[in-house]
């Protein structure tokens, strides 16, 4: 039965979706109209006023991205289950994020051990969960470093590992890394790992990280294989 009193985070999420996202979208649309009308009265595209418009547009986009990420965090993930072959999901992900790693001079590879079983999962959300780990790895790894996505499994469990040779975490950062809004990055939201954890736990799995300062980090997702217990 539906909970008549949704948890606080969900009510806040609904409020934000309505009270923040709608006006934000209206602002973006109206800024587009303003820019178009301006260009009819100010013929010089190099004019300062267009820089101001572009700056407002960038700020609105970054606010919009934050709201999207916050909602992803605050709303419980609703899973749309399908049979997911982890090998091809991770291959897609590697193809998607590989160029960005290449631009930074970081090598990205995928290592599949054996023939991991397919899982009943929401492929889109699971990909997002792993992507957050890879993005963190990329942000922490300087040029010349490596990121390896590994997957292995048996009849009961599947493990997806993201291993980087980046800066690692100090003993006071590691225990807080999964806390909502905890970030050490300028411009970070601190929501990537909490979102990953929510998605993984919604699949009946777990996620953990180990790290050594100056040497690198390993993040591992474990997922149950076979008929879902719930
Ligand atoms: N692979 C990693 N290497 C080093 N530090 C990491 C790594 N992954 C996460 N962290 C730390 O955990 C913090 C929280 O990560 P996250 O929840 O994704 O938020 P954000 O990426 O917005 O900072 C990061 O700011 C960073 O300090
Ligand atoms: Mg992150």
């Amino acid at each position: 039965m539906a909970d008549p009193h949704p948890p606080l985070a969900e009510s806040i999420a609904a409020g934000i979706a309505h009270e923040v996202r709608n006006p934000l979208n209206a602002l973006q649309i109206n800024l587009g109209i303003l820019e178009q009308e301006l260009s009819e009265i100010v013929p010089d595209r190099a004019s300062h006023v267009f820089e101001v418009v572009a700056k407002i547009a960038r700020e609105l986009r970054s606010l919009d991205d934050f709201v999207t990420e916050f909602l992803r965090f605050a709303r419980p993930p609703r899973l749309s289950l399908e049979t997911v072959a982890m090998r091809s999901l991770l291959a897609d992900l590697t193809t998607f994020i590989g160029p960005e790693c290449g631009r930074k001079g970081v090598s990205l590879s995928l290592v599949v051990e054996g023939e991991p079983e397919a899982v009943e999962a929401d492929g889109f959300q699971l990909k997002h969960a792993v992507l957050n780990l890879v993005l963190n790895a990329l942000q922490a790894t300087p040029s010349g470093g490596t990121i390896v996505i590994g997957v292995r499994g048996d009849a009961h469990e599947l493990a997806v590992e993201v291993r980087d040779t980046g800066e690692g975490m100090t003993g006071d950062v590691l225990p807080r890394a999964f806390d909502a809004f905890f970030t050490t990055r300028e411009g970070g939201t601190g929501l990537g790992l909490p979102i990953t954890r929510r998605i993984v736990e919604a699949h009946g799995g777990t996620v953990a990280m180990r790290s050594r300062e100056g040497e690198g980090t390993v993040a591992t997702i474990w997922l149950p294989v076979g008929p879902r217990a719930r």
Side-chain angles (χ1 to χ4, degrees):
M1 205 174 62
D3 181 356
H5 302 290
L8 183 61
E10 259 190 86
S11 316
I12 294 173
I16 286 186
H18 193 256
E19 303 298 333
V20 178
R21 180 175 263 172
N22 291 351
L24 193 54
N25 290 345
L27 280 171
Q28 286 172 309
I29 291 167
N30 282 297
L31 186 65
I33 295 170
L34 183 69
E35 186 180 18
Q36 200 166 3
E37 295 195 355
L38 262 178
S39 64
E40 283 160 24
I41 14 179
V42 184
D44 180 11
R45 284 299 297 185
S47 166
H48 177 64
V49 74
F50 290 107
E51 265 172 57
V52 174
V53 169
K55 185 164 193 291
I56 296 172
R58 271 198 306 279
E59 296 294 337
L60 288 176
R61 215 173 305 126
S62 108
L63 191 53
D64 197 16
D65 288 347
F66 174 75
V67 170
T68 302
E69 199 172 31
F70 175 78
L71 291 177
R72 210 185 267 280
F73 160 72
R75 287 173 166 160
R78 289 192 177 82
L79 302 185
S80 155
L81 295 178
E82 54 188 335
T83 303
V84 173
M86 203 48 94
R87 176 196 284 268
S88 66
L89 182 147
L90 295 174
D92 282 357
L93 182 70
T94 308
T95 307
F96 171 71
I97 195 76
E100 200 172 327
C101 296
R103 276 193 291 279
K104 200 182 169 187
V106 172
S107 93
L108 174 70
S109 56
L110 172 62
V111 177
V112 183
E113 273 178 46
E115 267 305 320
E117 303 266 342
V119 286
E120 282 293 293
D122 184 319
F124 178 79
Q125 297 207 39
L126 217 48
K127 206 185 280 184
H128 193 87
V130 181
L131 178 65
N132 285 347
L133 301 181
V134 178
L135 287 175
N136 282 348
L138 181 59
Q139 280 148 4
T141 306
S143 174
T146 61
I147 301 173
V148 179
I149 305 176
V151 57
R152 57 179 194 276
D154 55 28
H156 307 288
E157 203 174 46
L158 189 100
V160 178
E161 199 174 84
V162 178
R163 180 183 289 270
D164 69 63
T165 60
E167 66 200 19
M169 282 178 260
T170 57
D172 56 326
V173 167
L174 183 58
R176 301 171 66 193
F178 284 93
D179 291 355
F181 303 109
F182 174 82
T183 180
T184 60
R185 289 193 305 113
E186 180 150 353
T189 61
L191 291 176
L193 289 174
I195 289 170
T196 290
R197 174 170 274 171
R198 287 203 79 161
I199 294 172
V200 170
E201 290 182 350
H203 284 88
T206 53
V207 53
M209 289 206 288
R210 52 187 208 278
S211 186
R212 237 182 242 277
E213 195 182 354
E215 290 182 22
T217 300
V218 185
T220 312
I221 291 174
W222 288 273
L223 291 172
V225 171
R228 283 162 62 84
R230 294 173 304 133

